[in-house]
Amino acid sequence: MTQQKGADYWTKRISDQEMPALCSTVRDLEKLAKDDVSSLALLGRSVMHDNALTSRILRVANSAIYNKGINQVSTVSRAAVVLGFDTIRNICITAKLLTSLLENKHLSEGVYTRLLKLMAQSFQAAMLARMMMSDRGESLREEVFIASLLYRIGESAFWSMGGEIPDQLHRKLSVIDDKAEQNALIRAELGASFVQLTQGIARSWGLGEVLQKSLAQPDERMPEIHCIYLADKLSELLSLPQVDPVELQKRLTQAAEMLDISVDDMTQRVIQCNQVTHKLAIEYGAKAIVSYLPEPSRVADGIVSPVIEAVTRQVDQGYQLAKLRQLTQYAVVKTDFNQIMQTTLEGILSGVGVDRCGVLLLSPSRKLLQPRVMMGDDAEMLKQAFVIALDDHASVFSQCIEQKRSFWVNAPSSKDCTVQMDDVLVEKLSKFGFLIAPLAIGHKVLGLFYADRHSTRRYFEQQDNDSFTHFCQLANVCFAVSMS
């Protein structure tokens, strides 16, 4: 456990050591707001030396979302004249923030994924808040936008540091689902909460009064403060894999009442705002967060996943046999490792008839399982988010590796459940159960095969487990031949 260093320590470290360029830029831009005479010229000079930043600012300023006219702007100063100083200043801060946080090349995969999710959530919250203040003046609307974007800057900045401390905290948080327990762990490890760290950065960097007040008094009924709070809560809800429809309805109703519109109208505005958010993230050059932005096309029903008709892959004995024959040939003739893996997963996906399957490999420390290849529904999203910590030797994943045998994990509520394990983890992966088996070369386990039927909400039967295990065992024979 790290020593109790507190918010002041982390604020100073982030400002002086980890993110001095962002800190300096934000401070300069915030000071410009107080200088009406020379602010436009200074604004242009403050970003002139950074060609990549200037390019992103102009791309956003010329996008259909901001520039409603015909003429394109070619300088930051000109953009400020056309769009307004507050708008262009906040575009500068947003572009610099996204660049600084998302282009850190020294983060572990788990921490980087966590940061992407957090930045996507913050960006969506900022767009929601801006939409909810659309009938207010430009200055207040833009201040609410930037306050919402920076509402979790302490947490984002901490994860962007990288290194041993964020890695350790990420692993510990990954196996805790209770929000209160997570917050307690953060305070114990850092000597401060992420909110306190954000407050420290807001004061140190001279960020606006609206942000500082929204952090200190989140229950304040002033429209702009209440708007920031609701936008953050809505974005957090929409980012969840399975949103709570009751809680979502509650927040939509609160937002609708604040704007004096119907809940249906509010729902449509949220959906439209999300569509705009996707486009604007691309204009900012932040494609990395796009796949983590919510897709609330069915938000009224409490569903946030993309509207894709789930394909039910039935058991296909003929296809199974064809793929097993291929693998048998690989066991005779040395074949590339990746080709064996591909053929095995194709057989499991379309032969055994699962919704998604993949291979998770052990990290060098053998303390994490990380996705190598995923196939089926939500494959790319699953590949980016699917990281399992092996802290608990009693977990089914640790047992699978240590005992070198397959496991069939049914839903905890099922009377046919063959393995007892943490209900929360089962729910997180698939509450309809899943299959896992070791991927091994000789006596050494390198990772696991995984399969579930989460999208179509189906359970496995004994025959499915037998077929899955057969594919995995034959694949391991092929791997041994491949590496001999």
Side-chain angles (χ1 to χ4, degrees), residues 217-287:
Q217 301 173 327
D219 296 328
E220 171 66 50
R221 301 308 295 178
M222 286 176 58
E224 56 268 35
I225 304 301
H226 192 46
C227 170
I228 293 167
Y229 173 79
L230 282 178
D232 182 74
K233 290 297 182 185
L234 269 172
S235 183
E236 184 179 28
L237 271 172
L238 295 173
S239 67
L240 296 173
Q242 291 184 325
V243 69
D244 180 347
V246 176
E247 184 67 15
L248 180 60
Q249 186 70 16
K250 171 186 170 183
R251 298 303 182 189
L252 286 170
T253 300
Q254 290 173 339
E257 288 175 352
M258 190 186 83
L259 299 183
D260 195 23
I261 59 177
S262 70
V263 175
D264 287 344
D265 191 4
M266 185 65 211
T267 300
Q268 289 304 311
R269 292 191 187 190
V270 170
I271 293 170
Q272 291 167 5
C273 179
N274 174 254
Q275 294 167 348
V276 172
T277 304
H278 277 252
K279 295 176 182 177
L280 196 60
I282 294 171
E283 297 290 357
Y284 271 111
K287 292 182 180 178

Side-chain angles (χ1 to χ4, degrees), residues 59-225:
R59 192 163 63 240
V60 173
N62 285 311
S63 69
I65 297 164
Y66 279 102
N67 191 348
K68 307 301 182 183
I70 300 173
N71 298 328
Q72 299 278 293
V73 293
S74 56
T75 66
V76 173
S77 297
R78 178 59 185 165
V81 172
V82 174
L83 301 181
F85 177 78
D86 293 308
T87 298
I88 205 67
R89 177 172 59 91
N90 286 343
I91 290 175
C92 290
I93 292 175
T94 304
K96 188 67 176 179
L97 177 72
L98 290 170
T99 301
S100 299
L101 292 179
L102 299 179
E103 293 188 357
N104 190 330
K105 306 298 184 185
H106 307 293
L107 303 183
S108 66
E109 186 174 354
V111 169
Y112 187 59
T113 298
R114 185 181 286 272
L115 179 61
L116 289 178
K117 290 179 180 178
L118 185 62
M119 287 307 301
Q121 184 179 321
S122 295
F123 193 58
Q124 180 67 81
M127 293 296 287
L128 286 169
R130 188 176 187 273
M131 175 269 290
M132 291 163 66
M133 298 294 287
S134 58
D135 61 340
R136 303 301 177 101
E138 178 210 335
S139 179
L140 182 58
R141 184 175 67 246
E142 293 302 327
E143 193 167 5
V144 165
F145 173 90
I146 211 69
S148 296
L149 182 70
L150 300 176
Y151 197 67
R152 296 173 183 256
I153 182 63
E155 186 176 355
S156 300
F158 173 80
W159 294 121
S160 74
M161 292 192 318
E164 185 179 351
I165 295 174
D167 284 351
Q168 287 180 349
L169 183 58
H170 164 71
R171 288 194 291 270
K172 292 177 181 179
L173 290 174
S174 296
V175 295
I176 301 174
D177 288 292
D178 183 76
K179 198 71 176 175
E181 287 183 33
Q182 288 183 343
N183 291 335
L185 175 63
I186 292 164
R187 286 192 295 270
E189 293 284 319
L190 306 185
S193 67
F194 282 141
V195 172
Q196 289 171 323
L197 180 51
T198 296
Q199 289 174 321
I201 289 175
R203 287 191 297 269
S204 175
W205 295 11
L207 300 178
E209 292 180 9
V210 170
L211 173 60
Q212 295 189 47
K213 190 166 186 176
S214 67
L215 292 166
Q217 301 173 327
D219 296 328
E220 171 66 50
R221 301 308 295 178
M222 286 176 58
E224 56 268 35
I225 304 301

Side-chain angles (χ1 to χ4, degrees), residues 40-55:
L40 289 181
L42 289 171
L43 175 64
R45 286 204 293 272
S46 69
V47 298
M48 189 184 301
H49 62 283
D50 191 333
N51 291 332
L53 178 61
T54 300
S55 176

